Amino acid sequence: MWHYQAPLRDMRFVIEEWLAAPADWRRMPAFESLDSELAAQVVEEAGRFASGVLAPLNAPGDRQGCRFDDGRVSTPDGFPAAYRAFVDGGWAALACAAEDGGQGLPQLLNAALLEMIYSTNHAWAMYPGIAHGAYECLRAHGSPELRERYLAAIVSGEILPTMCLTEPQAGSDVGLLRSRAEPAADGSYRISGSKLFASGGEHDLTENILHLVLARLPDAPPGSRGISLFLVPKRLPDGRRNAVRCDGIEHKLGIRGSATCTLSFEQAEGWLLGEPHKGLAAMFVMMNSARLHVGLQGLGHAEAAWQNAAQYAAERRQMRAVRRPEGRAEAPADPIHYHPAMRRTLLELRTLTEGMRALGYWTAHLLDEAEQGADPALRARAQGRAMLLTPLVKAFFTEQGFRLASAALQVFGGYGYVQEYAIEQTLRDSRIAMIYEGSNEIQANDLLLRKVLGDGGTVLCDLLEDFRAEAEIAAVSPECGAFAAALGQYCDRLTTATEGLAAAAARDPERPYRAAGDFLRLLGLVALAFAWTRSARLAAGRTDDPFYAGKLESAAFFFAYLLPEADHRLALIEASRQPLPFLPE
Amino acid sequence: MWHYQAPLRDMRFVIEEWLAAPADWRRMPAFESLDSELAAQVVEEAGRFASGVLAPLNAPGDRQGCRFDDGRVSTPDGFPAAYRAFVDGGWAALACAAEDGGQGLPQLLNAALLEMIYSTNHAWAMYPGIAHGAYECLRAHGSPELRERYLAAIVSGEILPTMCLTEPQAGSDVGLLRSRAEPAADGSYRISGSKLFASGGEHDLTENILHLVLARLPDAPPGSRGISLFLVPKRLPDGRRNAVRCDGIEHKLGIRGSATCTLSFEQAEGWLLGEPHKGLAAMFVMMNSARLHVGLQGLGHAEAAWQNAAQYAAERRQMRAVRRPEGRAEAPADPIHYHPAMRRTLLELRTLTEGMRALGYWTAHLLDEAEQGADPALRARAQGRAMLLTPLVKAFFTEQGFRLASAALQVFGGYGYVQEYAIEQTLRDSRIAMIYEGSNEIQANDLLLRKVLGDGGTVLCDLLEDFRAEAEIAAVSPECGAFAAALGQYCDRLTTATEGLAAAAARDPERPYRAAGDFLRLLGLVALAFAWTRSARLAAGRTDDPFYAGKLESAAFFFAYLLPEADHRLALIEASRQPLPFLPE
């Protein structure tokens, strides 16, 4: 009953019109041969892979789950074959550089691919999930030998990497980790320790697995400044099994087809990646890309939720509606998408999903600009904005993804609570994204404390300049004038609130921590106002085409029904003046 | 790892101080021999049952689920024995009249019992879940013969009733149901049809099951005015199996230990309950009580979520906090309940849970007043208020229950996503309560359209008088003046918004339907402001006792951090002027 159709029309709109990416690609040497048509073909082909190969495995994979048997993990039926198809289709290497054997395509197109993969099979997507991040990390920090040994294998998809970070006592606080690494005579290291929640720590998709492990050297200072990063393969270059053992897999709320492993390293052989004690910095190369991808999981789930709720609500008939679309005759029972409460839910699903798509793809496009742009100043600017947007995309999108999955489930009524329509799986799968790769609370602190207050608001101001520029352009359109005015006003309010927090932090250092979650949501809403102002401007005057008419309707809905939450968040930022008591011990 | 301790201290506070129920009981002939001590003993004993018998079966029951085998349903291990203990303890008959063999205790104490049962085992609670409603329905509408045959058996717990309402094409819209009832020569009926989502439609807890079935008589007018209610036992009085078959059970997101059955009735023997074609009215006796109980499910889940999150956050250490409670030394990692984001989450859990407890118990107490009060005018007044509060409690509490379960899960981080701590079960179990017994959207329409605008706002005004009276009393307390002033202001704003909607509805009949969900949340927040003003007033001057000091802290938190959402809801009610477009067909 669950269905998925790649939202190609909206993806093209975002890539070609909202971002006008092809014009930027022409200015980037790496992508100068890429045009709209080729990009659209890649996205279309990716959509075929997602809906044809991954979607059919989604519900069965959830029901079957992974099996653990004496250190071995079997993934659900069809998962290994889907991975081979993924590799054969060149999808693993989509955004890897051509010189490393990749396809050399932009992060932007990879974002479209990932959105569709997450919409259709989040659990499966966990296996290749960090491959691109590991590729970037190894490329940036690996010695020539390590790059030689593993870079091509990651790009070809022959070896899948994992991230081994969490330990029982060290979750959000990586600084508490205890795994040890001892130097061996041959320049390698012997890694020992226990790692938790390692996604794809063991599986049957590839022969070899490359663990990226955080551990302490003997002379490591305590805390997060004493952590180093190591590459620890499951099979050593000479074919021997390394001393890495999977002790079990987790029974989870969702993404049940993904093997979340407990791993033991017992004097396992590995190599240092990057500088001693600077493992966190090296890992962050990976985590930034991973955080954007987790945000795209929220988008993917929102899209799946929207599609399924929209179809069900158009077909299910219950009760007479107070109003019907013009020309529709009375019936004993109307499609439920006539009912006002359902219309609100569906419009919220559509508007947030499409708005997040613009923002998420924008972030990916900024990463392309930061890496491949011709002008160093513009590259640095794009990098700054992408770094600011990353925690926003991660936390805001994943929260919306889960919330919208629940809203969609509600549209199905009792049918939403049973397995048949699989919307309950979307709810379960989407929930993890609020937790991993840095919980949403940590993202909020990162955004406000580090990315905004940490640089005196410089990058935020720069970002808001983009928003204000859009407001100025859109202001002249009669259909968009009100949207543009509201966008401008909320940019001002956001600026004032930020200045207030900066000033207050000096007197009350805890204040920004109390306000961080609301600040993140406020920025998310203002960014969506930007997204919808631009979408409305691009749609203005083209309402003969239902696609653009829908864009203007969604924009009107966003400004009337969704943007008011920004006032609420401003009020809560104001409320955060009041200290919070401590809870009883 | 999941734990539960009956919140006896707070229950006594609500019953004895917030409601001052014992003074009211003394004025009700049915309860004149009930005093605080006896009531507290009942609640304490109920807590022992819930935490001792039901809590240990919660997680195992979820993992095992129900088994279906050729028409038979086996509930999880321990469920039948727990039901026998429930019956033997007299809990099934707690609020049934003494003349019917019950304990004759107030609905208020039953609400406390139910809250604890829902906290500890929602799935199990589904089996006796509608027994009290069926008892009330049979008592009010049953012929002497039917009452003679089944009333005592329901009260003793020997037979468990089910509600057979939903059909594949008839969910929220009961009027679409097709099951038929043909009169037989002996005055009985032959019922035929297919019913879906019948909780406890088949199980191994009792020998016999009494189905309350909605069906159409041959001469029934179409729609909801042609529906009659029938009693259809699994086993007929002479011991024969009736023609009722369980065709299967649902695989659900949560409450997996509850058998949600598809039932076929094939010329099954049954008897008319109440008047022909007036089955919905008769069923509503049952549904009102059921809706309050569903609201208590939201409260029960919120309480379980709060307890578990609070304990975990006090024990788990990660990262250094920006601030610590006075006198606490620096440590490499602080308990996470020092961190501002966690404090906000925990305070929200505590404040909403305790506030909902006051409101939910108040509704139950109003039902006692409505049924047992000595003064007919006060009885009618209490009945009106309880009817207004019922959809509010159902929808507001269940939405909060799910939202708070998710907030608590977030406190656990990755551990929240795995089975170990069972908070993920709370999330799954709590979600159904937003759907069944009338979806939350239907409750919102019922509240605004029928209960508020339907009587010209009379009962709402009456309710707000209570709120304003509390504001006046509390205004004189120096610790509560600000709370009281805010409560008064929000009563005024709510009144103005209601008048605005009433006026607008004349011009735009769809308007209140667009605003109903926000109106419900607004009323919920204003009711919580009432609850917390009274709690703060009762606690004022007693802060030497940490219990009362906590109440004042929670009140301050509510008014600073939670009540601002009321402004947001007011803004959205204002926004609902704007029409909503229809979605593409």
Side-chain angles (χ1 to χ4, degrees), chain A residues 442-453:
Chain A
I442 285 179
Q443 305 298 329
N445 289 346
D446 178 49
L447 174 70
L448 179 57
L449 277 291
R450 196 172 313 177
K451 306 284 170 68
V452 172
L453 302 181

Side-chain angles (χ1 to χ4, degrees), chain B residues 344-414:
Chain B
R344 250 183 93 163
T345 300
L346 293 168
L347 287 163
E348 190 169 342
L349 276 155
R350 183 173 81 176
T351 305
L352 289 175
T353 302
E354 292 178 7
M356 291 194 293
R357 179 170 296 122
L359 298 175
Y361 287 18
W362 181 36
T363 308
H365 188 54
L366 286 168
L367 288 176
D368 288 324
E369 179 83 48
E371 207 176 330
Q372 307 292 351
D375 177 339
L378 288 180
R379 280 215 303 273
R381 202 174 160 218
Q383 174 71 14
R385 291 196 239 168
M387 292 303 97
L388 180 85
L389 287 170
T390 297
L392 178 73
V393 167
K394 194 280 179 184
F396 191 77
F397 285 25
T398 59
E399 185 175 313
Q400 300 298 343
F402 175 70
R403 212 177 54 76
L404 293 173
S406 179
L409 190 152
Q410 190 74 9
V411 171
F412 285 82

Side-chain angles (χ1 to χ4, degrees), chain A residues 319-335:
Chain A
M319 298 186 287
R320 286 166 195 236
V322 197
R323 270 183 63 214
R324 294 178 183 79
E326 228 168 298
R328 294 283 156 201
E330 263 194 49
D334 287 308

Side-chain angles (χ1 to χ4, degrees), chain A residues 329-534:
Chain A
E330 263 194 49
D334 287 308
I336 61 172
H337 75 170
Y338 289 0
H339 297 303
M342 293 295 106
R343 276 176 17 233
R344 249 183 94 165
T345 300
L346 293 168
L347 287 163
E348 191 170 342
L349 276 156
R350 183 172 81 176
T351 305
L352 289 175
T353 303
E354 292 178 8
M356 290 194 294
R357 180 170 295 122
L359 298 176
Y361 288 18
W362 182 36
T363 308
H365 188 54
L366 287 168
L367 288 175
D368 288 325
E369 179 82 47
E371 206 175 333
Q372 307 292 351
D375 177 342
L378 289 180
R379 281 215 305 273
R381 201 174 161 215
Q383 174 72 12
R385 292 197 238 168
M387 291 304 97
L388 180 85
L389 286 169
T390 297
L392 178 75
V393 166
K394 194 282 180 184
F396 191 77
F397 286 24
T398 60
E399 183 175 315
Q400 300 299 340
F402 175 70
R403 213 178 55 76
L404 293 173
S406 180
L409 189 152
Q410 190 73 7
V411 171
F412 286 82
Y415 289 106
Y417 201 68
V418 299
Q419 273 184 357
E420 196 176 355
Y421 285 88
I423 190 76
E424 61 91 25
Q425 186 189 344
T426 302
L427 184 82
R428 289 186 287 104
D429 288 354
S430 65
R431 187 62 183 80
I432 187 59
M434 295 167 66
I435 299 171
Y436 62 17
E437 293 299 340
S439 75
N440 283 6
E441 289 75 12
I442 285 179
Q443 305 298 329
N445 289 346
D446 178 49
L447 174 70
L448 179 57
L449 277 291
R450 196 172 313 177
K451 306 284 170 68
V452 172
L453 302 181
D455 77 348
T458 314
V459 176
L460 178 67
C461 280
D462 179 49
L463 197 79
L464 292 184
E465 277 320 301
D466 273 14
F467 296 3
R468 289 194 173 101
E470 178 60 51
E472 265 182 49
I473 306 171
V476 298
S477 154
E479 286 141 300
C480 305
F483 307 151
L487 173 58
Q489 282 157 19
Y490 280 96
C491 286
D492 295 346
R493 282 179 210 165
L494 175 61
T495 304
T496 309
T498 309
E499 289 164 359
L501 285 171
R507 296 184 304 275
D508 174 3
E510 207 193 66
R511 172 80 187 279
Y513 291 90
R514 296 197 296 271
D518 293 306
F519 182 87
L520 186 143
R521 291 174 184 89
L522 172 64
L523 181 57
L525 289 159
V526 177
L528 283 172
F530 163 62
W532 277 111
T533 301
R534 179 173 287 181

Side-chain angles (χ1 to χ4, degrees), chain A residues 81-100:
Chain A
Y83 181 69
R84 283 192 297 276
F86 179 76
V87 166
D88 293 346
W91 302 114
L94 192 76
C96 299
E99 71 211 51
D100 297 320

Side-chain angles (χ1 to χ4, degrees), chain B residues 272-457:
Chain B
L272 184 67
L273 184 58
E275 302 290 305
H277 315 320
K278 301 214 166 139
L280 275 192
M283 197 100 170
F284 255 99
V285 171
M286 203 163 153
M287 278 206 272
N288 269 320
S289 136
R291 284 173 179 186
L292 168 60
H293 295 173
V294 173
L296 296 174
Q297 290 167 6
L299 169 61
H301 286 300
E303 173 65 33
W306 150 240
Q307 284 192 24
N308 282 279
Q311 175 164 318
Y312 184 80
E315 290 170 359
R316 174 78 170 168
R317 288 174 174 268
Q318 293 285 282
M319 296 188 287
R320 286 167 196 235
V322 196
R323 269 184 62 215
R324 295 178 181 78
E326 227 166 298
R328 294 283 157 202
E330 263 195 50
D334 286 307
I336 61 172
H337 75 171
Y338 289 1
H339 297 303
M342 293 295 106
R343 269 163 40 220
R344 250 183 93 163
T345 300
L346 293 168
L347 287 163
E348 190 169 342
L349 276 155
R350 183 173 81 176
T351 305
L352 289 175
T353 302
E354 292 178 7
M356 291 194 293
R357 179 170 296 122
L359 298 175
Y361 287 18
W362 181 36
T363 308
H365 188 54
L366 286 168
L367 288 176
D368 288 324
E369 179 83 48
E371 207 176 330
Q372 307 292 351
D375 177 339
L378 288 180
R379 280 215 303 273
R381 202 174 160 218
Q383 174 71 14
R385 291 196 239 168
M387 292 303 97
L388 180 85
L389 287 170
T390 297
L392 178 73
V393 167
K394 194 280 179 184
F396 191 77
F397 285 25
T398 59
E399 185 175 313
Q400 300 298 343
F402 175 70
R403 212 177 54 76
L404 293 173
S406 179
L409 190 152
Q410 190 74 9
V411 171
F412 285 82
Y415 289 105
Y417 200 68
V418 300
Q419 273 183 359
E420 195 177 354
Y421 286 87
I423 189 76
E424 60 91 24
Q425 186 188 345
T426 302
L427 184 83
R428 290 186 287 104
D429 288 354
S430 65
R431 188 61 183 79
I432 186 59
M434 295 168 66
I435 299 170
Y436 62 18
E437 293 300 340
S439 75
N440 283 6
E441 289 75 13
I442 285 180
Q443 305 297 329
N445 289 346
D446 178 48
L447 174 69
L448 179 57
L449 277 292
R450 198 174 312 177
K451 305 284 171 64
V452 172
L453 302 181
D455 79 348

